[in-house]
Structures are given as C-alpha cells and as structure tokens.
Amino acid sequence: LNNAVVFFFFNDTATTEIYTLSLHDALPIYQLSFSPDAVADKMFKAYKKNLKEKDLYQTIAIVKKVQIPVTFNFMINGPGENLGTLYRLLKFVMLAKLRLGHLFKLHGLFLTNLRIYPHTQLEERALTHGIISHRSELLHPVFYNPIPMRWVTGSLLWGLQTLWKAKQYLKRFRGTA
C-alpha cells in the first residue's frame, strides 16, 4: 500500500519546510496541487488572495528543486480580467511547463470561470453588469463570464481542448497511448 499523498495548497500555505519533509520520507508527497486562481497581482487583489505573482515563480523554483509533480488551478474571466492579466496567466503556464517539464502535469491544469453563489459580492456584481437577473436560479451552476472577455476565454479554452485532443490522437496513431 502506497501512503503517498496529494497536497492541495491554498493561498500562502506552501512552504519550503513542507517540501523538505517529503524529501526525508517523513511525509511522502505524490503530487502538489496549487489553487492560486490567478497570476497577476491585480487579480489576486480582486480575489482577495494573499499572494503575489512572484510567489508563483518562487513555487516553480522550489518544485524544481524537490522534484515533486505539480498541478495548478486558475479562474478565468473573473472581475477585472483583461487581455493583460490573461497574458500573464498563459505566460506563467508556458514558463512553468518549460522550466518543470514532466513535473508540471498539464492534465491537472484547471481553467474555469467563477461560479456565482447567492448572497455574495459576485452575485451583486453580476446583477449590476446584467450577467444575471433577480430571477436567475443559482442553485444550479451559473458562472461569471462577462462579454467581451467571454469570447477571448472561450476561444482560448476551445484551442487548448483541440490541442489536447490532437496530442491524444497522435499518441494513439503512434501507438504510444
């Protein structure tokens, strides 16, 4: 029985000490999963996260040092998202993959929109911007995805899904799947 664990980190809970424990078999870590939700400082502020962009790049350096596989979760098209913040996110993903190689598990890369929950600031913002109405049923998932960035992020997700499917097809074609 393998007792290795997957760690899921929020905000600023990841430290060098946690990784160091895994190197000494005191806490065998199979994979690290981070949920910074954004990359740009502007978006961290909008999401009320206690992070800075530089923290994510420091995480890449630590992960490379300790050689533990990693995944990331990001929100897209949240309040304040623009082409500049989206670019910073894509740049981070590409640099992380280049620097970490096989340690950066793209199958664990999650890009999603924010879900609107009742009685939240996001619900108020969505009402103000006409994304939902007062009659909107929020018990079933409704996501914050305003125009015009909806078109950009939708095209991005479609492109990424198409590339992933093409890669899987090539693996099957080559017989390496």
Side-chain angles (χ1 to χ4, degrees):
L1 180 65
N2 187 346
N3 291 326
V5 296
V6 173
F7 265 102
F8 191 85
F9 291 98
F10 294 94
N11 293 357
D12 56 355
T13 57
T15 64
T16 306
E17 290 78 20
I18 290 174
Y19 306 133
T20 304
L21 281 174
S22 73
L23 296 176
H24 301 289
D25 292 329
L27 185 64
I29 298 175
Y30 166 73
Q31 180 174 295
L32 301 168
S33 183
F34 291 94
S35 187
D37 297 336
V39 173
D41 291 342
K42 171 186 175 181
M43 297 308 294
F44 287 138
K45 187 175 180 181
Y47 294 156
K48 298 180 180 164
K49 293 271 192 166
N50 186 25
L51 282 173
K52 297 285 184 195
E53 187 171 344
K54 66 180 175 69
D55 298 332
L56 295 183
Y57 287 97
Q58 180 181 1
T59 299
I60 291 173
I62 293 170
V63 167
K64 186 169 185 170
K65 179 179 178 182
V66 298
Q67 296 289 296
I68 299 172
V70 65
T71 64
F72 290 93
N73 302 313
F74 296 105
M75 302 292 185
I76 55 174
N77 206 13
E81 187 85 79
N82 60 37
L83 290 175
T85 58
L86 188 60
Y87 167 77
R88 297 188 89 70
L89 190 153
L90 294 174
K91 176 183 168 190
F92 173 79
V93 169
M94 288 186 284
L95 286 174
K97 185 60 180 169
L98 287 171
R99 291 180 184 167
L100 297 175
H102 72 281
L103 292 174
F104 184 19
K105 302 300 182 185
L106 288 175
H107 67 270
L109 173 65
F110 294 101
L111 298 171
T112 188
N113 296 105
L114 290 166
R115 182 173 176 186
I116 303 169
Y117 287 99
H119 314 293
T120 62
Q121 290 178 348
L122 189 59
E123 179 190 29
E124 290 301 317
R125 186 176 181 108
L127 284 166
T128 302
H129 291 92
I131 296 168
I132 60 172
S133 72
H134 288 285
R135 296 185 317 208
S136 294
E137 178 58 61
L138 298 179
L139 289 178
H140 301 288
V142 176
F143 296 91
Y144 185 87
N145 195 13
I147 295 172
M149 286 298 291
R150 177 188 317 169
W151 300 318
V152 174
T153 57
S155 297
L156 170 67
L157 292 176
W158 178 85
L160 291 172
Q161 289 170 347
T162 301
L163 287 172
W164 179 259
K165 288 176 185 176
K167 179 182 176 186
Q168 298 308 310
Y169 175 77
L170 286 173
K171 279 184 172 182
R172 279 195 305 272
F173 181 74
R174 291 181 184 156
T176 58

